[in-house]
C-alpha cells in the first residue's frame, strides 16, 4: 500500500496555509488538483485541514477540489488565473501552457540527478520564474515535484525506442512532450488526467508516461501490464496562488499565505522520493511487469532525446533561450 505520509503538490499547498494564523473572517481558499480522491494525499489533507481549523480559530475555510473535479490541469490553471480558484498544485507541463519558459524544464534527460535538479531550480532559477509567473497572473509559492516520468503500457513491453513505433500513447500537451514522442515514432494523443484511465480501458490509448507514484494514485496500473523505468523527463510542479486573489490581500495576509515559501520544497521532495522503491514494489504486486532498461537501452532513449532541445528551445519563445542557457551553466556549477 502507498504510505500515508506521501506529500504531493497539493499537500505542499495546504502546508503553506497550515503555517498561518487567521487571514480574515470567513476567508475561503479554494485549492484544486488532479490528485485523485481516496489517495493518501486526501487522507493527509484531512489532518492538515483539522490543524488549520484549530490554529486559525475557524477563520480560514479551505475547500479542496481533488481528482480533477475542476477539470484537467489546463482548466484548473485558467480558473486560478481568472481568480475563480485561489490556488492550485500543478505540474510544470501544465503551467507551461501559460508560462512557456517552463517547457524548457521538461526537456528529456535535462537533469542527471535529483540533486542537480534541486540545485538548478532552487539556487539558480527561482527568482527568474517568480517574475515570469507573476507576469501571467500567478503567484509562485514553492516548487514541488511529480518526479521522473516512465512508460506504462498495456500489451507491449518497452525496452528501446523501436518498441514504441506506432503505439498510441497518452501524452501531456506541451511542445516538448509532443516533440519527444514524435521523435520516438509514437502516435501521441493528448488526454486530460481524468480521462486517461477510461481511455486506457477502452483502447483509445495503449499506454502513458508518468511517475510510479502518480500511476498508482490514479489507479492507472489497473489498465496496464508493463512499466518501463525510462525516467526520461524530470517533472517539477509548483504551488501557485491567483494574483487577482493575492492583490486583494494586505501585507500581513500575504505573509501568512506565503508561509515558508520554497522552504517547503526540500521536505516535500524527500517524502516523495523516499517511497519510490515501495511504489515500484506495489506495481509488481499489482501484476505489472516492471522493467529496468540496461545502460545501452537507456542510451538509445537519450540519443533520441538529444534532438529535442534543438527543435523546441528556439521555437518556445519568450525567455526560453536565456533560461536554457542559464540551466546549462547552472548544471556545471551544481555538479552531477
Amino acid at each position: 500500500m502507498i504510505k500515508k505520509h506521501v506529500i504531493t503538490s497539493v499537500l505542499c499547498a495546504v502546508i503553506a496555509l497550515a503555517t498561518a494564523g487567521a487571514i480574515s473572517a470567513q476567508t475561503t481558499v479554494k485549492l484544486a488538483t488532479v490528485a485523485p480522491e481516496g489517495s493518501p494525499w486526501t487522507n493527509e489533507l484531512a489532518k492538515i485541514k483539522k490543524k488549520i481549523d484549530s490554529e486559525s480559530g475557524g477563520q480560514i475555510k479551505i475547500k479542496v477540489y481533488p481528482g480533477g473535479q475542476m477539470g484537467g490541469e489546463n482548466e484548473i490553471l485558467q480558473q486560478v488565473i481568472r481568480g475563480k480558484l485561489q490556488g492550485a498544485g500543478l505540474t510544470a507541463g501544465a503551467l507551461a501552457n501559460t508560462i512557456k519558459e517552463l517547457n524548457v524544464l521538461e526537456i528529456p534527460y535535462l537533469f542527471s540527478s535529483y540533486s542537480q535538479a534541486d540545485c538548478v531550480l532552487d539556487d539558480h532559477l527561482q527568482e527568474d520564474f517568480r517574475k515570469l509567473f507573476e507576469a501571467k497572473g500567478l503567484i509562485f509559492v514553492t516548487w514541488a515535484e511529480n518526479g521522473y516520468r516512465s512508460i506504462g503500457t498495456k500489451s507491449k513491453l518497452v525496452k528501446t525506442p523501436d518498441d514504441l513505433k506506432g503505439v498510441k500513447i497518452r501524452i501531456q500537451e506541451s511542445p516538448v512532450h509532443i516533440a519527444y514522442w514524435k521523435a520516438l515514432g509514437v502516435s501521441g494523443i493528448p488526454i486530460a488526467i481524468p480521462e486517461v484511465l477510461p481511455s486506457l480501458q477502452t483502447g483509445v490509448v495503449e499506454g502513458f508516461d508518468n511517475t510510479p507514484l502518480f500511476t498508482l494514485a490514479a489507479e492507472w496500473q489497473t489498465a496496464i501490464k508493463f512499466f518501463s523505468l525510462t525516467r526520461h523527463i524530470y517533472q517539477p510542479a509548483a504551488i501557485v496562488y491567483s494574483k487577482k486573489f493575492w492583490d486583494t490581500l494586505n501585507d500581513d495576509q500575504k505573509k501568512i499565505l506565503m508561509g515558508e515559501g520554497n522552504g517547503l520544497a526540500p521536505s516535500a521532495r524527500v517524502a516523495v522520493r523516499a517511497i519510490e522503491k515501495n511504489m515500484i514494489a506495489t506495481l509488481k504486486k499489482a501484476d505489472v511487469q516492471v522493467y529496468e532498461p540496461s545502460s545501452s537501452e537507456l542510451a538509445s532513449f537519450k540519443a533520441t532525446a538529444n534532438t529535442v532541445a534543438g527543435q523546441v528551445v528556439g521555437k518556445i519563445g519568450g525567455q526560453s533561450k536565456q533560461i536554457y542557457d542559464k540551466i546549462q551553466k547552472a548544471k556545471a556549477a551544481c555538479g552531477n
Side-chain angles (χ1 to χ4, degrees):
M1 295 179 64
I2 305 175
K3 293 184 179 181
K4 293 185 178 180
H5 67 273
V6 176
I7 300 177
T8 63
S9 298
V10 178
L11 184 53
C12 290
V14 178
I15 290 175
L17 293 174
T19 64
I23 295 178
S24 63
Q26 300 300 313
T27 295
T28 299
V29 180
K30 294 183 288 185
L31 305 172
T33 176
V34 296
E37 186 73 57
S39 70
W41 303 326
T42 54
N43 294 334
E44 288 296 327
L45 285 176
K47 298 177 184 178
I48 298 298
K49 289 172 70 174
K50 183 178 180 180
K51 181 179 180 182
I52 293 172
D53 285 343
S54 175
E55 293 184 357
S56 70
Q59 292 182 340
I60 301 174
K61 180 181 179 182
I62 296 175
K63 179 71 174 177
V64 180
Y65 297 89
Q69 290 181 31
M70 290 296 182
E73 287 198 302
N74 293 337
E75 289 83 1
I76 291 171
L77 174 58
Q78 291 307 311
Q79 290 179 77
V80 173
I81 292 171
R82 294 195 303 267
K84 183 176 179 180
L85 292 170
Q86 283 71 53
L90 298 163
T91 63
L95 286 161
N97 290 313
T98 295
I99 303 156
K100 60 185 69 177
E101 291 85 354
L102 282 168
N103 283 294
V104 176
L105 299 181
E106 304 224 314
I107 290 173
Y109 300 104
L110 179 67
F111 300 115
S112 61
S113 66
Y114 279 126
S115 60
Q116 186 184 75
D118 296 348
C119 176
V120 172
L121 291 174
D122 294 345
D123 300 339
H124 297 270
L125 294 181
Q126 188 181 156
E127 290 309 310
D128 294 88
F129 277 109
R130 191 182 302 279
K131 294 173 184 177
L132 290 168
F133 274 61
E134 188 163 356
K136 295 296 184 179
L138 299 166
I139 298 299
F140 173 86
V141 179
T142 179
W143 293 116
E145 80 174 21
N146 188 19
Y148 277 102
R149 298 171 74 102
S150 291
I151 302 170
T153 48
K154 291 178 63 175
S155 57
K156 189 176 184 181
L157 175 62
V158 174
K159 295 184 177 181
T160 70
D162 286 341
D163 296 323
L164 285 165
K165 302 294 184 184
V167 177
K168 295 183 294 182
I169 297 288
R170 179 267 172 180
I171 66 172
Q172 194 153 340
E173 194 170 4
S174 86
V176 173
H177 286 243
I178 291 169
Y180 182 53
W181 291 110
K182 184 176 181 181
L184 289 170
V186 166
S187 176
I189 303 175
I191 300 173
I193 292 290
E195 300 303 318
V196 174
L197 183 56
S199 295
L200 287 164
Q201 292 168 334
T202 58
V204 173
V205 291
E206 290 294 312
F208 60 87
D209 78 313
N210 218 305
T211 64
L213 170 59
F214 195 90
T215 297
L216 287 162
E219 299 187 346
W220 293 354
Q221 84 283 358
T222 61
I224 61 171
K225 294 182 179 179
F226 308 100
F227 197 84
S228 299
L229 296 171
T230 53
R231 300 183 177 93
H232 51 278
I233 290 176
Y234 170 72
Q235 187 170 61
I239 306 307
V240 296
Y241 292 122
S242 165
K243 188 174 185 301
K244 283 191 174 181
F245 165 64
W246 191 257
D247 288 345
T248 67
L249 305 174
N250 61 41
D251 289 344
D252 288 340
Q253 292 169 336
K254 290 176 181 178
K255 183 177 180 181
I256 289 169
L257 271 174
M258 187 57 65
E260 296 179 46
N262 200 57
L264 293 167
S267 60
R269 291 165 176 157
V270 167
V272 171
R273 295 167 190 175
I275 63 165
E276 183 179 42
K277 288 183 180 179
N278 289 337
M279 299 300 96
I280 291 171
T282 302
L283 284 172
K284 292 177 180 178
K285 289 179 182 178
D287 294 325
V288 175
Q289 181 181 338
V290 178
Y291 182 73
E292 185 80 58
S294 67
S295 57
S296 61
E297 289 167 342
L298 282 177
S300 64
F301 280 100
K302 292 177 181 179
T304 302
N306 286 338
T307 66
V308 175
Q311 291 177 35
V312 301
V313 171
K315 296 178 181 178
I316 293 171
Q319 299 178 37
S320 296
K321 180 62 166 61
Q322 296 95 309
I323 294 291
Y324 180 74
D325 290 343
K326 191 167 187 176
I327 289 172
Q328 300 311 310
K329 292 179 181 178
K331 284 163 61 176
C334 291
N336 295 321

